[in-house]
Amino acid sequence: MMKRFFIFTPLAMPSTKAPLISIITVTYNAAETIPTTIASVDSQTFSDYEHLIIDGKSSDSTLSVISNSPSDKRKVLSERDNGIYDAMNKGISIAKGKYLLFLNSGDRFHSSRTLEQIGDAILKNGFPGVIYGQTDIVDNEGNYIAARHLTAPENLTYKSFAGGMVVCHQAFIALARLAPLYNLKYRYSADFDWCIQCLQHSRKNVLIPDTLIDYLQEGVTTRNHRASLKERFRIMSHYYGFLPTLARHLSFIPRYLKRKRSHLKQ
């Protein structure tokens, strides 16, 4: 059996109180992008969280970079995995928080008060099943590129995802006891399936109408866009029916062409 390699900072002490939010960051050879994410987490004005970094046994200096930013809220697990969603499942398995928030390497909170906003929304709304918000797209330097092409709706249900991934995965914070493991038969869109399953079990979903996440433009799904779209079609057909899904995809064509024209002008 493979041994797990945990890294604790010198200041880390076991906590007797479960944190409100578990922030889970998956890394693999992410030495260039992880500093941005760590700095964003460490700058938060809200303190009732833990930060779990699940590393796929990086061969670059990722672990050294992480070690240079010690925090008593951060724990690192480094071992080989079977891809990003397997790593996310490992994060779920060790998370202690009441809520799960996945923040990929290179992504960041929109402001130092973002976690405070999320925490306030959780407490003021009686621990809802899902808290969600808006997302901006940024480049490697953190410069704003555009708002995400789909806007998170005011009213969110599992049927909302019949129109696509209307909420970015990183801006989708789920009550841990409602959250399943990611379905590993999906290589690129298991997060889409996961969000739908969370919404199926959630009785109350609360929108924070502000931007919560600055999303790094180049991600795994972005690099495998066509394969991701095929998986999403399969997932949508499973939950919403093949013919309705096909009809919706035909209606997406004008939206796709509009986005393509917009990209060409840039």
Side-chain angles (χ1 to χ4, degrees):
M1 181 180 295
M2 183 178 296
K3 292 183 178 180
R4 286 189 161 185
F5 174 36
F6 286 94
I7 302 174
F8 294 88
T9 68
L11 298 177
M13 295 293 290
S15 175
T16 58
K17 176 180 176 292
L20 182 64
I21 301 169
S22 290
I23 304 166
I24 300 172
T25 299
V26 170
T27 61
Y28 180 70
N29 290 347
E32 293 185 3
T33 57
I34 192 61
T36 294
T37 303
I38 288 177
S40 174
V41 172
D42 291 351
S43 72
Q44 294 302 299
T45 56
F46 185 80
S47 61
D48 195 4
Y49 72 88
E50 64 176 355
H51 187 202
L52 307 176
I53 298 182
I54 312 300
D55 180 71
K57 207 168 182 62
S58 291
S59 58
D60 68 353
S61 59
T62 297
L63 296 178
S64 296
V65 171
I66 295 168
S67 297
N68 288 333
S69 300
S71 169
D72 61 350
K73 296 182 179 299
R74 189 150 39 248
K75 181 167 65 175
V76 182
L77 165 62
S78 183
E79 64 180 14
R80 297 191 186 281
D81 57 50
N82 293 314
I84 187 171
Y85 298 118
D86 181 44
M88 288 179 176
N89 282 344
K90 292 178 181 182
I92 291 175
S93 72
I94 64 173
K96 304 297 183 184
K98 293 181 177 66
Y99 283 81
L100 303 175
L101 189 161
F102 290 88
L103 190 67
N104 290 342
S105 184
D107 299 335
R108 68 192 81 190
F109 292 115
H110 187 66
S111 81
S112 60
R113 291 192 60 252
T114 296
L115 269 190
E116 185 179 337
Q117 287 180 280
I118 294 169
D120 287 347
I122 289 171
L123 299 177
K124 289 177 180 178
N125 288 280
F127 294 86
V130 172
I131 298 283
Y132 65 103
Q134 309 298 345
T135 306
D136 283 346
I137 310 299
V138 300
D139 63 17
N140 289 323
E141 285 71 47
N143 299 313
Y144 173 84
I145 296 175
R148 190 168 178 266
H149 72 283
L150 291 178
T151 301
E154 183 174 350
N155 298 306
L156 183 72
T157 72
Y158 92 95
K159 292 183 180 179
S160 301
F161 275 65
M165 195 154 190
V166 293
V167 180
C168 181
H169 183 218
Q170 285 84 334
F172 185 102
I173 302 95
L175 188 62
R177 63 180 177 82
L178 301 182
L181 294 176
Y182 290 84
N183 189 335
L184 299 185
K185 76 178 182 180
Y186 301 121
R187 293 185 60 193
Y188 307 113
S189 294
D191 51 347
F192 186 75
D193 175 75
W194 185 83
C195 289
I196 294 173
Q197 289 194 62
C198 288
L199 289 169
Q200 283 184 316
H201 295 96
S202 175
R203 294 183 179 181
K204 185 177 183 180
N205 309 309
V206 175
L207 169 67
I208 297 175
D210 302 322
T211 299
L212 300 182
I213 301 296
D214 290 342
Y215 175 78
L216 185 62
Q217 185 179 35
E218 181 66 16
V220 171
T221 301
T222 306
R223 292 195 302 269
N224 299 279
H225 186 62
R226 182 168 296 183
S228 173
L229 291 178
K230 288 181 180 179
E231 281 193 353
R232 286 191 188 184
F233 186 90
R234 288 169 54 199
I235 293 167
M236 292 167 74
S237 296
H238 172 74
Y239 288 105
Y240 310 118
F242 173 77
L243 290 178
T245 296
L246 179 61
R248 287 190 189 94
H249 274 70
L250 292 175
S251 71
F252 293 163
I253 292 175
R255 185 174 76 186
Y256 167 78
L257 293 175
K258 182 179 179 180
R259 286 175 58 202
K260 191 171 182 180
R261 285 195 296 269
S262 176
H263 288 316
L264 290 174
K265 290 178 182 179
Q266 294 178 358

